[in-house]
Amino acid sequence: MGKKIGIVAFTLELCITLALCEYYSKTHPVSPKQQVVTNLHFFFHDTLTSPNASAVLIAKPTLTGDDSSSPSPFGSLLATDDPLTLGPDPNSELIGNARGMYVSSGKHVPTLTMYVDFGFTSGKFNGSSITVFSRNPIMDKERELAVVGGRGRFRMATGVALLNTYSVNLTNGDAIVEYNVTVYHY
Ligand SMILES: *[C@@H]1O[C@H](CO)[C@@H](O)[C@H](O)[C@H]1NC(C)=O
Ligand SMILES: *[C@@H]1O[C@H](CO)[C@@H](O)[C@H](O)[C@H]1NC(C)=O
Ligand SMILES: *[C@@H]1O[C@H](CO)[C@@H](O)[C@H](O)[C@H]1NC(C)=O
Ligand SMILES: *[C@@H]1O[C@H](CO)[C@@H](O)[C@H](O)[C@H]1NC(C)=O
């Protein structure tokens, strides 16, 4: 009997201290931390052409449509490891890389949907990254992408990236894009 009570008490204690009885913890209010805002400004180099392609085709559908001659026709999926630099010149200081993928998702208007982690490799935010999951209407000169999260110093980030095409080659798809990002984080 005493042993049984002992086991029950032990189990209860485990439940309370380690929360082993449920898959969720108690829900409790958080003491709000001060949110801060950081602006980031850099250039994104998306190069589809060899020898130094930073965006490579994973797959594309069999097409006979109008856009089959486009560098990234509707339905094509590309993986990226695009360099991010301080200035528009590809040889300017490298500050990070944009790793992920994008899918050409506009049936009639060229649009990309991006699933990309922008990681920084220098300065205060070295090792931190912001996550972009958004449509990107690439034919608009100025456009906006949603920043939906982040890592490291950008943990729990939300924000917005304003994009401005610096240069694009419509034949091969190579592009340099200016990013002006406002990130809210803690
Ligand atoms: C390709 O990248 C390598 C290594 O970064 C560099 O040495 C070479 O000059 C680049 N080639 C071109 C055509 O940009
Ligand atoms: C960034 O962080 C990595 C890993 O900690 C380190 O090896 C590298 O030297 C750092 N780079 C700069 C430019 O601070
Ligand atoms: C655009 O890409 C095409 C095909 O690779 C190339 O022949 C042409 O020189 C490029 N144009 C510019 C301005 O770089
Ligand atoms: C970045 O965006 C902010 C907010 O719209 C604007 O005030 C700032 O001038 C922009 N900076 C650059 C370099 O485009």
Side-chain angles (χ1 to χ4, degrees):
M1 187 65 183
K3 204 172 171 188
K4 239 186 200 166
I5 289 170
I7 288 168
V8 169
F10 178 68
T11 312
L12 252 179
E13 193 166 317
L14 262 183
C15 281
I16 292 160
T17 56
L18 297 175
L20 290 180
C21 295
E22 304 287 0
Y23 68 90
Y24 47 85
S25 78
K26 256 182 133 157
T27 302
H28 50 82
V30 288
S31 35
K33 253 177 92 180
Q34 183 66 46
Q35 203 176 32
V36 294
V37 62
T38 303
N39 281 290
L40 309 170
H41 185 250
F42 53 82
F43 290 81
F44 165 91
H45 301 263
D46 196 41
T47 308
L48 277 65
T49 45
S50 297
N52 279 350
S54 60
V56 296
L57 188 68
I58 300 168
K60 78 175 179 187
T62 314
L63 285 172
T64 49
D66 296 343
D67 68 346
S68 55
S69 63
S70 142
S72 50
F74 176 53
S76 35
L77 181 66
L78 287 94
T80 71
D81 186 355
D82 286 340
L84 306 175
T85 60
L86 216 45
D89 182 342
N91 296 315
S92 69
E93 192 189 335
L94 184 71
I95 56 105
N97 50 65
R99 293 183 175 168
M101 53 186 184
Y102 58 78
V103 62
S104 178
S105 54
K107 217 171 147 181
H108 304 296
V109 179
T111 304
L112 305 176
T113 299
M114 300 179 61
Y115 313 85
V116 180
D117 184 286
F118 287 74
F120 302 97
T121 53
S122 76
K124 182 177 170 185
F125 297 104
N126 184 8
S128 298
S129 67
I130 55 169
T131 314
V132 166
F133 171 26
S134 195
R135 70 174 55 199
N136 180 357
I138 51 174
M139 298 314 277
D140 296 355
K141 171 112 179 89
E142 289 181 0
R143 49 205 189 270
E144 170 185 324
L145 307 187
V147 175
V148 298
R151 298 167 52 255
R153 282 175 174 261
F154 291 127
R155 191 180 284 181
M156 314 283 279
T158 52
V160 62
L162 301 178
L163 275 60
N164 180 19
T165 302
Y166 178 80
S167 69
V168 64
N169 181 330
L170 294 173
T171 312
N172 62 23
D174 290 358
I176 300 174
V177 183
E178 181 182 12
Y179 273 65
N180 180 7
V181 194
T182 304
V183 196
Y184 292 88
H185 57 113
Y186 294 96

